[in-house]
Amino acid sequence: MNLTLHGVGRAPRALGPSEADLWISTPRLLALLDVIAGRDDVRLLVDDGNASDVEILLPALRERGMRASFFVVAGKLGEPGFLAAADVAALAEAGMPIGVHGMRHRPWRGLGDRDLTDELLHAKRLIEEAAGRPVAEAACPFGAYDRRVLRRLRELGYERVYTSDGGMARREAWLQPRTSVRATFDGGSVAALRRRES
């Protein structure tokens, strides 16, 4: 199962309703990490590149000897409330996989060729520069993809792509469904979700 986090703790900006539903409290995060620590059937992923990734989540992961994959919006690097390039480097140095979540956090489906190249290639280069290493995974913003987007991702050499389709994932599949962790999610929710989707 792939679980996706977004922001953690006190939000540094006003959140829209859909984003607020995905922002979880620090106690809920810690409870969730304690439930999934040591489990090889749960993969943790983090979208958007919020500052809470290094301020709250990274220390909590390190305390538990855990890893998560961080998918960064390249165009938000250095903006207030978001990761700076040095933060991305710190995540990479801590052994966390780094991936692409686009340039401007917009749906990839329906974009023209130039905009899609900006989201998939130019963003990749910026994130690789910040991380100091190659980046080979992507997470589709809003889960928006189609055959054209997937074809372009393959052409650009992405080794794994994550969606927001939900459900169980085959560990080595190129296209990976994910389930978003909501503000009300807790350890019991993980067990319930696994029962429902198995």
Side-chain angles (χ1 to χ4, degrees), residues 4-44:
T4 307
L5 294 171
H6 294 78
V8 179
R10 180 175 292 179
R13 61 186 181 278
L15 302 176
S18 61
E19 189 178 14
D21 185 45
L22 299 174
W23 203 279
I24 69 169
S25 69
T26 302
R28 283 193 186 276
L29 167 72
L30 300 180
L32 180 65
L33 293 182
D34 288 341
V35 167
I36 66 175
R39 291 181 57 170
D40 62 3
D41 61 335
V42 179
R43 200 183 278 162
L44 192 62

Side-chain angles (χ1 to χ4, degrees), residues 13-91:
R13 61 186 181 278
L15 302 176
S18 61
E19 189 178 14
D21 185 45
L22 299 174
W23 203 279
I24 69 169
S25 69
T26 302
R28 283 193 186 276
L29 167 72
L30 300 180
L32 180 65
L33 293 182
D34 288 341
V35 167
I36 66 175
R39 291 181 57 170
D40 62 3
D41 61 335
V42 179
R43 200 183 278 162
L44 192 62
L45 308 107
V46 188
D47 279 0
D48 301 340
N50 287 296
S52 61
D53 292 357
V54 292
E55 294 167 357
I56 300 171
L57 185 52
L58 179 60
L61 290 169
R62 292 177 102 164
E63 284 174 14
R64 292 159 177 79
M66 297 174 68
R67 288 179 40 171
S69 297
F70 291 82
F71 294 90
V72 180
V73 178
K76 293 192 178 290
L77 283 172
E79 288 188 7
F82 292 92
L83 297 175
D87 297 324
V88 175
L91 289 169

Side-chain angles (χ1 to χ4, degrees), residues 88-105:
V88 175
L91 289 169
E93 288 168 12
M96 305 296 161
I98 308 296
V100 175
H101 200 43
M103 182 66 80
R104 292 176 176 71
H105 200 261

